[in-house]
Amino acid sequence: MEHTPVGSVRNAPEGQRSDAGPTDRRAPRMPREQRRAQLLDAAHQVFVVHGYHGAAMDEIAETARVSKPVLYQHFPGKRELYLALLDHHLGILTDAMVTALQSTVDNKERVNAAIRTYFDFIAADHQAYRLIFESDLLNDPEVSDRFETFNARIADEITGVISGDTSLPHAQAVLLGRSLSGMAQVAARSWLEVADDVEQDVASDLVSRLAWRGISRFPKES
């Protein structure tokens, strides 16, 4: 296959023929958002196999079947690709968790739904879960800020329920919200290690029962 020289198209619109060489035939024109999704999917595959530090832009471009100039038109570098991928996965999990927590006014069912959501996310794509929660960039400030935003959003949703249902001071409700969210997250991650021996539904039910037996000790105020 023919490849367009990198220097000739770095600043040219995607798919446009350059005076310095032919258009890259591997990368037919497509809407920007569709191309972006394609590149993120390719980056996901490469990051899962090699980790962030072992991944290379060359391999991501090859996996996406585009030239490096096309890749760089959308993402200036590997870091921007990873952060965009992290935002994508955390956004999906955030929406799913908020939906679960708002799906019922029955608190026992709310606990079940929230914990089941973590397990469903892992079961659907455990590689995505490992990619975002076991990344070799967890100490990076921009990455840790994104995790803190995610954790705070979920904890705030739980805290709001606890504060509305009990007479606990706000600070105590915050602590319980953070604790429940952290327990669900750690338990779901730990399940991956025993998934061959413990079915998903069984694992989710066990953790839900544990969480409910704790939080139900704080009864609703009339």
Side-chain angles (χ1 to χ4, degrees):
M1 290 185 183
E2 295 178 329
H3 298 263
T4 307
V6 172
S8 67
V9 297
R10 180 176 292 276
N11 298 315
E14 181 181 334
Q16 178 176 311
R17 178 180 294 274
S18 167
D19 292 337
T23 301
D24 187 340
R25 293 175 182 169
R26 295 186 306 170
R29 293 178 64 88
M30 64 173 62
R32 183 174 183 80
E33 287 306 309
Q34 185 178 348
R35 175 70 75 199
R36 180 182 172 87
Q38 176 201 26
L39 297 175
L40 286 176
D41 180 67
H44 173 95
Q45 296 178 50
V46 176
F47 285 139
V48 163
V49 173
H50 300 292
Y52 174 79
H53 293 294
M57 292 292 275
D58 283 336
E59 185 171 357
I60 293 171
E62 183 66 28
T63 301
R65 299 187 62 79
V66 301
S67 65
K68 284 182 68 177
V70 169
L71 178 58
Y72 280 117
Q73 284 173 13
H74 293 265
F75 297 100
K78 183 170 67 171
R79 180 182 180 80
E80 289 77 13
L81 257 173
Y82 178 79
L83 292 175
L85 193 59
L86 182 63
D87 288 339
H88 173 72
H89 287 309
L90 285 177
I92 290 174
L93 185 53
T94 297
D95 289 346
M97 286 296 296
V98 170
T99 297
L101 289 166
Q102 296 178 353
S103 64
T104 177
V105 295
D106 183 304
N107 283 336
K108 183 175 183 179
E109 288 303 313
R110 185 181 272 129
V111 168
N112 291 339
I115 291 175
R116 186 167 56 248
T117 294
Y118 269 114
F119 281 87
D120 286 345
F121 184 82
I122 292 179
D125 191 348
H126 68 273
Q127 291 180 337
Y129 199 86
R130 289 190 187 280
L131 180 67
I132 61 178
F133 286 100
E134 299 177 5
S135 166
D136 43 4
L137 282 184
L138 290 179
N139 293 325
D140 182 282
E142 286 192 84
V143 174
S144 61
D145 283 350
R146 282 165 164 79
F147 278 111
E148 174 55 26
T149 298
F150 165 76
N151 288 324
R153 174 68 191 283
I154 304 307
D156 284 350
E157 288 285 336
I158 300 173
T159 298
V161 175
I162 295 173
S163 294
D165 283 354
T166 72
S167 59
L168 287 174
H170 180 71
Q172 293 183 25
V174 169
L175 180 59
L176 286 176
R178 284 278 186 166
S179 299
L180 283 170
S181 176
M183 183 185 74
Q185 188 178 125
V186 171
R189 291 170 62 183
S190 299
W191 169 66
L192 283 178
E193 301 174 7
V194 296
D196 290 340
D197 300 312
V198 183
E199 293 182 0
Q200 178 189 342
D201 290 344
V202 173
S204 178
D205 181 63
L206 282 172
V207 178
S208 297
R209 287 161 57 192
L210 175 63
W212 177 244
R213 292 194 69 167
I215 197 63
S216 63
R217 305 297 292 179
F218 302 93
K220 283 188 176 184
E221 293 291 318
S222 59

